[in-house]
Amino acid sequence: MLIYLLITAVTIYLGALVRDEDTDLISSEMKRNGVYVYTGVSRQQVINLICMVSIFVTLFGISALRINVGNDYARYVNFMHLANVHAYVPTEAGFNYLTRFIYFISGYENFLLVFACYGFATIALFLLAIRKLSASFGWTFFMFMTLTYYFQSLSTMRYYLALAASVYAMYLILKGDYPAFVLMILAGSLFHKSILLVLVLYPLCNIKWNKYIKVAGLCAVISSLFLKDLYLKLFLIVYPTYENTDFLTGGTSLISIARCAMVILLFFVFRNDLSGSKRDIFYLKLNILALLLYVFGSFLPVISRIGYYLTISQIFIIPDIILAAGAGKRKGVLRILVTLACIAYFLIFIFRQAPADGVRILPYQTWLFHDMVPIEYQILD
């Protein structure tokens, strides 16, 4: 537990040192014979680079050195073995082929390297997306850590790689680069196919909601009250592995509902301070959709996995609201409330959820000092 508290404090401090730099690396004012001339690197740019690299190395190190950490760790090791021997596994092609490739070049079943590759890609995508999307890297990274996105990536690695890809896809769609957006989502679907929903949800939130879209949304909400069995059958066509399992019981999260409601409330309280940018409207719509899903789609299995693709936008819209609030008492109160709420969420997670079944990232163990527990295929043999 101490290691998690320490890396959270250290990386948040480093994140607070990252600042936007107004000075461009390449000056358009110094152009000679059609060639741009480098004007040098500012002190802040050097600090930004050092802090970003330090954050990445710290988070990647914790991820790559772990063993027996995460609810699915042993199950994934078993899946890797089955994929390597070409047996059936309920995982996507990207997971299977990456495992076989790493096992081939290693000359043995090097599952530690597979976990390290996932950690590298997941953390790199998250940090790159945060750097490109956030108006305040420090605030966004603070929320990223305290809302436990990083720590939960230690438990369900395939899903969080897809989630990281979806966050970078937000940048691509807001940039208007739809071909790259589609390619990013398709690449993410090779590791967790739930990300394919983003191909519909993100463009839907990136367009203007006219009366036809609003009526269609209202019909979808009403139909969810009467056509639950039909929607479950459609869901099982896409996810047949969930049939006859405990996941079909559904369920929702009151905390997630409260978070979405609070974000929507804050947006409208401070809407006069916000610039009304396309980006903030996009984030608002994502949270409205998430709220509707959590309330009216609670019968769907693992609804949180769908909701996370939408609610992760909160780490971007809340900093935007804080910055737009201006100076004075209102901004100070908002900053304090957001800070306390995030810290409380983090502490509850670390002390209550992190060691529990379903997460199990505590106690932290490293392959430097611990051995792997027996795996299912080894026991059966």
Side-chain angles (χ1 to χ4, degrees):
M1 182 182 299
L2 182 60
I3 186 68
Y4 290 159
L5 296 174
L6 181 61
I7 66 167
T8 300
V10 170
T11 55
I12 286 175
Y13 172 74
L14 292 171
L17 297 178
V18 176
R19 300 276 197 278
D20 289 330
E21 179 59 51
D22 294 332
T23 304
D24 292 331
L25 182 62
I26 301 176
S27 174
S28 59
E29 297 178 356
M30 299 186 66
K31 187 178 180 182
R32 299 176 182 175
N33 299 323
V35 179
Y36 286 103
V37 178
Y38 285 91
T39 59
V41 179
S42 71
R43 179 176 179 272
Q44 185 59 54
Q45 287 174 319
V46 173
I47 293 174
N48 290 349
L49 179 61
I50 292 173
C51 290
M52 292 289 293
V53 171
S54 299
I55 290 171
F56 175 81
V57 170
T58 301
L59 299 183
F60 172 65
I62 293 297
S63 179
L65 291 175
R66 79 189 192 277
I67 193 170
N68 304 327
V69 174
N71 189 64
D72 294 334
Y73 195 97
R75 188 166 68 111
Y76 275 135
V77 175
N78 189 60
F79 284 168
M80 291 174 198
H81 168 76
L82 295 175
N84 189 49
V85 298
H86 297 271
Y88 169 76
V89 283
T91 48
E92 289 79 2
F95 175 89
N96 301 337
Y97 284 111
L98 177 63
T99 297
R100 291 168 190 163
F101 175 73
I102 291 176
Y103 280 13
F104 173 75
I105 63 174
S106 299
Y108 67 101
E109 296 196 348
N110 189 357
F111 61 86
L112 294 175
L113 183 56
V114 179
F115 280 102
C117 289
Y118 271 88
F120 184 97
T122 301
I123 297 164
L125 279 173
F126 269 130
L127 290 180
L128 184 60
I130 290 172
R131 188 72 179 110
K132 288 183 175 294
L133 279 173
S134 180
S136 171
F137 182 89
W139 269 108
T140 297
F141 185 76
F142 167 76
M143 294 186 68
F144 171 74
M145 291 299 292
T146 54
L147 295 182
T148 70
Y149 289 109
Y150 167 71
F151 294 105
Q152 293 190 70
S153 73
L154 301 179
S155 182
T156 52
M157 66 175 190
R158 284 171 44 247
Y159 172 74
Y160 271 85
L161 176 58
L163 183 63
S166 76
V167 179
Y168 191 79
M170 285 186 188
Y171 163 72
L172 295 173
I173 196 171
L174 288 171
K175 185 182 175 183
D177 193 346
Y178 278 87
F181 164 75
V182 172
L183 288 175
M184 176 61 68
I185 298 305
L186 293 179
S189 70
L190 293 175
F191 299 92
H192 207 284
K193 58 188 175 184
S194 65
I195 194 178
L196 290 174
L197 291 168
V198 168
L199 285 174
V200 176
L201 298 178
Y202 285 6
L204 177 62
C205 292
N206 199 42
I207 61 175
K208 184 178 180 180
W209 286 0
N210 56 33
K211 62 181 180 180
Y212 300 106
I213 293 177
K214 293 176 181 177
V215 169
L218 179 61
C219 292
V221 167
I222 295 174
S223 69
S224 69
L225 302 175
F226 305 100
L227 301 176
K228 294 180 181 180
D229 292 338
L230 174 61
Y231 289 146
L232 276 176
K233 289 179 181 179
L234 294 175
F235 180 89
L236 289 174
I237 293 175
V238 181
Y239 291 96
T241 55
Y242 284 113
E243 193 167 7
N244 299 322
T245 66
D246 293 337
F247 292 115
L248 284 181
T249 56
T252 192
S253 168
L254 294 179
I255 293 178
S256 296
I257 291 173
R259 278 172 51 178
C260 292
M262 185 56 64
V263 166
I264 295 169
L265 176 62
L266 286 175
F267 180 90
F268 285 104
V269 168
F270 291 94
R271 67 182 182 276
N272 292 330
D273 300 304
L274 291 165
S275 60
S277 68
K278 181 180 179 181
R279 182 178 68 179
D280 290 330
I281 298 297
F282 173 71
Y283 297 149
L284 173 66
K285 290 176 179 177
L286 289 177
N287 280 274
I288 292 174
L289 274 186
L291 181 61
L292 293 175
L293 269 175
Y294 283 124
V295 174
F296 297 100
S298 60
F299 60 92
L300 291 172
V302 289
I303 188 66
S304 62
R305 291 196 173 185
I306 302 173
Y308 269 35
Y309 289 122
L310 307 172
T311 58
I312 197 168
S313 62
Q314 293 169 2
I315 69 175
F316 301 110
I317 191 171
I318 292 297
D320 282 359
I321 293 173
I322 290 174
L323 294 179
K329 186 176 180 180
R330 282 201 317 164
K331 182 174 183 177
V333 171
L334 180 60
R335 287 163 64 102
I336 291 172
L337 290 177
V338 171
T339 301
L340 292 178
C342 288
I343 292 176
Y345 189 95
F346 173 71
L347 293 177
I348 291 172
F349 173 83
I350 288 295
F351 286 99
R352 295 187 59 183
Q353 298 179 12
D357 290 339
V359 181
R360 291 202 307 108
I361 62 170
L362 282 175
Y364 180 78
Q365 296 181 344
T366 170
W367 49 261
L368 296 173
F369 306 110
H370 300 87
D371 295 322
M372 184 61 196
V373 297
I375 306 303
E376 181 180 342
Y377 75 88
Q378 297 172 330
I379 297 173
L380 294 176
D381 290 343

